[in-house]
Amino acid sequence: MRTNVGLWWLLTGFAFFIGIVYAVWNVISHGSVEWVGTVALIFMGLMSAMIAFYIGRVVSAQRGELPEDSLTADIDDGDPEMGEFSPWSWWPIVLAGSAAIAVIGLAVGSWLVPVAFAIFAIAIVGWVYEYYRGYFAR
């Protein structure tokens, strides 16, 4: 994780440097600043700084090196419980399909957006309650 923090801070510095170079280059070649690219590069630097700061706080709060960060650690050294996952579940695909229909609806016709929200509601309910019915009920 410390390496990730260093990489994000490096990306922050790179984005700010390139933002300044981009602005100066536009002033030299066109006579004025091209604001869209300059602001986008500066915001990229700000967002990567936010991620670097957050990951740095997480690293300092974990108090020690995790097995995932050690090069000599085995797979068995980590936490065995990673959560419960359903490899047979089709609901995430339906949920992604509803998001795709919503985006297509924004691009093509707004009448598709309510259809996408209806499919979204069905997918969320199905995903939440998939362990309460059928073969995998508990």
Side-chain angles (χ1 to χ4, degrees):
M1 291 270 292
R2 290 202 189 280
T3 306
N4 290 337
V5 173
L7 287 173
W8 278 105
W9 282 119
L10 181 70
L11 182 65
T12 300
F14 176 76
F16 285 135
F17 175 72
I18 293 299
I20 292 168
V21 168
Y22 185 79
V24 170
W25 190 320
N26 277 309
V27 167
I28 291 171
S29 64
H30 298 294
S32 64
V33 177
E34 195 276 317
W35 287 107
V36 174
T38 305
V39 170
L41 287 167
I42 290 171
F43 277 151
M44 184 180 116
L46 291 172
M47 295 303 271
S48 58
M50 182 179 67
I51 293 170
F53 175 75
Y54 174 75
I55 294 175
R57 296 287 294 166
V58 168
V59 167
S60 65
Q62 74 187 15
R63 295 188 182 109
E65 188 175 84
L66 296 176
E68 293 87 10
D69 297 330
S70 175
L71 296 175
T72 59
D74 291 329
I75 292 175
D76 295 340
D77 294 339
D79 188 17
E81 181 62 38
M82 298 297 284
E84 182 178 338
F85 303 101
S86 301
W88 56 82
S89 180
W90 289 85
W91 291 113
I93 297 171
V94 176
L95 194 64
S98 73
I101 291 171
V103 170
I104 290 171
L106 290 174
V108 175
S110 60
W111 61 272
L112 277 174
V113 176
V115 173
F117 282 138
I119 295 171
F120 174 80
I122 292 168
I124 287 292
V125 170
W127 200 6
V128 168
Y129 290 110
E130 74 180 342
Y131 286 113
Y132 291 96
R133 298 181 46 134
Y135 183 70
F136 301 106
R138 296 177 186 219

